Amino acid sequence: MNNEKTTGGLPFPGQNHSELFKRYHAALRTRVGEAKYKSWFVDLGLAEFSEECVTLSTGSEAKRDMLDHRFFPVLADTWRKEVGPFRNMRLTVLKNLSAHAAKVDAQEEKRASGSAYAAPSHASASGQVAQPAAEKEQNFDGIATALDPRRTFDAFAVASSNRIAWAAAQEAMAEGRPKELIYFYGPSGVGKTHLLQAIAHELLKRGERGAPGYVTYNNLVNACVSAVWANATQALHKALLAYDYIAFDDIHFLTGKNRTQEELLIVIDAALDSGKQVVIAGELPPAKLAEAGINQRIADRLAGGICAPIHQGDEALRMAVLQKRVEQSTAKCAISEEVLAFIARTFSQSTRETIGALNQLLLMYGGEEVVVDLDEAKSILKSRLEDRKRISTIDDAIAAGAEAFGLKLEDMTGRSQPQRIVRARHAVVWCAREVLKESFPRIGKALKRDHTTVMSSYRRAQALLERDKAFQDGVKRIREALEG
């Protein structure tokens, strides 16, 4: 497979040195794993071979540097175990690989990618595979996306729904401890991207490490495709590994992009082996990622690291996010607390939707020195409110009641009778009857009560609405949730 030149006395006289070197390759493949082997070792050749010095060759300076800095102990130790003793080992770049080595590389590339991204090979009339072009110079400087200056830790609100992720983000910046792979996961719009970028901002501010790299899934896929077609995957690896903090966003979108996943796995392993911090974000937990079509080895790596779920935030968290946004805004207008509370209650599908509604107000009034009241806010947000309108159900009323009164969903239909839970049920019954126009039997069925109990609850709600301000506020919040 490789070009050989032997000098001096050989450690194993009389033995077939090609067979020895094949055995050496097989041992390397077993020791480092298939992914690393394909990336760094598959074209490893034998330039010189003696008791005094073993000179190994590879096809590019990037590979030579990586092998020298990261894998030299593996190369040396494996040689001693599989071939024999030596005094010195060195690595060199062999510009002209043999035709046989080129054929092996082409076959490995085609098999690894399923021919999806493999660069075209050219066969002569005799069936010989032509040697591929040497790796091209490729510029991947733009693979990292510019950071959003608003996505800092100062603008991130912490609550029970994201406290684990917050702690994991602090771990990513800790000094003096081994770096663990960190994985944030949760639905869209809960702050995963914010945390990825906040870590990068903080590291830049501290100046303790090299430049951080935040990489979107789209940039990663495009760069990988370009690298494969240009025969420049090592340049891609080198560009990514130049960062001391590497963040990959929206990994769940890589489903079906097998070659990109392979290159990502190589970079993850190489980065962690060299003490770099890798943080990844996606919507699914590791086990679900594998089920969705993400490489099982990537899912295993994520499961073996720090997995930090982020759940959908409650109204209090959305309110805190809005307040932080207003504090950091340069807008001249003032947004009343009543308006912020309305936005936090109404635009609840995700934190991103909540922020979007606020941004719309700031766009309209940001240049004016005015106080935006609730009527003005509803007027500006009218189109958003209409887009959110849908047919609400009794179950929606129950969920809204639980949130409005600070209860768990199971409290609403359980048998427990504390006053605060009973009052919440009264509010739900009233809204289901007056807003949704539901019958008492249907309301009773949803709340797991008989219709006479529900009728009594409705009368109690009417009485409370006349004299109890807190109850009135709770009913108002349920109505807003149901009416959009």
Side-chain angles (χ1 to χ4, degrees):
M1 159 174 156
N2 301 284
N3 191 25
E4 289 188 25
K5 177 183 175 183
T6 59
T7 60
L10 298 177
F12 297 93
Q15 291 196 29
N16 185 318
H17 302 118
S18 293
E19 291 301 319
L20 285 174
F21 199 61
K22 287 180 181 179
R23 190 171 76 191
Y24 178 62
H25 261 273
L28 285 173
R29 186 193 294 263
T30 300
R31 185 163 180 173
V32 302
E34 193 69 17
K36 288 181 182 177
Y37 178 82
K38 289 177 183 176
S39 181
W40 305 110
F41 298 86
V42 71
D43 69 346
L44 196 65
L46 183 61
E48 290 186 326
F49 178 23
S50 71
E51 243 180 289
E52 180 63 30
C53 181
V54 176
T55 302
L56 302 175
S57 65
T58 189
S60 72
E61 292 184 4
K63 275 190 178 181
R64 190 266 313 277
D65 292 344
M66 183 59 71
L67 290 171
D68 193 30
H69 292 129
R70 269 192 58 216
F71 295 113
F72 189 85
V74 173
L75 292 169
D77 185 58
T78 304
W79 185 277
R80 289 190 178 97
K81 289 179 179 178
E82 298 298 327
V83 181
F86 63 88
R87 293 189 180 90
N88 297 295
M89 175 177 280
R90 68 187 184 94
L91 293 160
T92 187
V93 177
L94 186 63
K95 297 296 184 183
N96 300 310
L97 296 175
S98 67
H100 181 63
K103 181 177 179 179
V104 170
D105 284 350
Q107 290 173 340
E108 289 282 356
E109 182 76 9
K110 184 176 180 181
R111 184 170 67 84
S113 65
S115 300
Y117 294 143
S121 60
H122 303 282
S124 66
S126 62
Q128 294 293 320
V129 178
Q131 179 177 327
E135 182 167 308
K136 299 178 182 179
E137 288 294 326
Q138 193 82 359
N139 187 350
F140 294 104
D141 291 344
I143 190 170
T145 300
L147 301 176
D148 184 339
R150 298 168 298 181
R151 285 174 166 157
T152 64
F153 283 121
D154 289 338
F156 191 85
V158 183
S160 58
S161 59
N162 59 21
R163 199 173 301 280
I164 295 175
W166 171 267
Q170 307 313 303
E171 181 67 21
M173 299 180 296
E175 293 295 329
R177 292 199 291 272
K179 298 303 175 188
E180 296 283 353
L181 177 61
I182 296 175
Y183 179 50
F184 300 128
Y185 66 92
S188 176
V190 294
K192 301 186 297 295
T193 297
H194 193 139
L195 279 179
L196 292 182
Q197 295 200 18
I199 295 169
H201 278 301
E202 186 65 22
L203 292 175
L204 281 173
K205 186 167 67 176
R206 294 181 184 181
E208 296 171 352
R209 303 182 198 167
Y214 166 71
V215 183
T216 65
Y217 84 95
N218 195 50
N219 278 11
L220 181 62
V221 171
N222 290 340
C224 185
V225 172
S226 298
V228 171
W229 282 103
N231 193 26
T233 54
Q234 305 310 317
L236 172 61
H237 299 161
K238 188 174 182 180
L240 289 170
L241 293 170
Y243 300 107
D244 286 322
Y245 165 73
I246 317 173
F248 296 104
D249 208 351
D250 291 325
I251 189 177
H252 53 282
F253 286 135
L254 296 181
T255 298
K257 308 223 173 10
N258 297 331
R259 182 56 190 271
T260 301
Q261 293 181 41
E262 286 287 343
E263 300 304 330
L264 174 62
L265 181 63
I266 292 167
V267 171
I268 290 172
D269 286 345
L272 294 175
D273 285 350
S274 56
K276 299 177 186 294
Q277 181 65 66
V278 181
V279 182
I280 296 175
E283 290 191 355
L284 302 173
K288 296 294 184 182
L289 278 177
E291 293 175 9
I294 296 297
N295 189 308
Q296 180 66 55
R297 290 174 294 165
I298 293 179
D300 289 343
R301 299 292 194 283
L302 297 176
I306 298 175
C307 291
I310 309 181
H311 304 291
Q312 198 69 262
D314 59 13
E315 184 180 324
L317 176 64
R318 295 193 294 274
M319 184 66 175
V321 169
L322 292 174
Q323 289 170 332
K324 284 179 174 290
R325 285 276 172 160
V326 170
E327 289 170 6
Q328 296 185 339
S329 172
T330 58
K332 296 179 180 179
C333 67
I335 310 293
S336 70
E337 288 292 303
E338 184 182 23
V339 170
L340 294 181
F342 169 74
I343 292 174
R345 285 196 304 271
T346 306
F347 299 96
S348 57
Q349 291 181 357
S350 71
T351 306
R352 185 175 290 125
E353 183 194 32
T354 310
I355 293 171
L358 174 63
N359 288 342
Q360 189 166 333
L361 293 184
L362 295 176
L363 174 66
M364 295 302 298
Y365 294 106
E368 304 176 31
E369 293 183 355
V370 298
V371 177
V372 182
D373 62 23
L374 186 56
D375 288 339
E376 289 171 324
K378 287 182 176 180
S379 176
I380 294 301
L381 298 173
K382 182 179 179 181
S383 60
R384 284 179 175 265
L385 292 169
E386 289 177 347
D387 290 342
R388 294 189 81 256
K389 282 184 178 178
R390 60 182 178 82
I391 299 174
S392 296
T393 66
I394 302 175
D395 287 339
D396 295 324
I398 294 172
E403 183 165 351
F405 286 84
L407 303 173
K408 297 179 180 179
L409 194 59
E410 54 266 29
D411 292 336
M412 302 300 294
T413 57
R415 307 314 300 177
S416 182
Q417 298 292 326
Q419 188 63 24
R420 63 190 185 91
I421 297 178
V422 172
R423 285 163 56 87
R425 291 187 194 126
H426 293 338
V428 168
V429 169
W430 191 91
C431 290
R433 181 66 174 172
E434 294 297 325
V435 179
L436 302 181
K437 308 302 181 185
E438 290 286 358
S439 68
F440 288 128
R442 281 176 55 82
I443 299 171
K445 182 178 181 181
L447 286 170
K448 298 180 181 178
R449 264 92 181 147
D450 61 69
H451 76 282
T452 56
T453 300
V454 171
M455 290 174 66
S456 175
S457 181
Y458 175 75
R459 290 192 292 270
R460 288 288 299 147
Q462 286 180 312
L464 287 169
L465 281 171
E466 293 178 1
R467 56 182 171 78
D468 192 314
K469 180 64 168 59
F471 187 79
Q472 292 169 5
D473 290 341
V475 168
K476 180 182 177 182
R477 293 167 66 181
I478 297 172
R479 291 195 67 155
E480 287 175 348
L482 298 177
E483 295 173 345

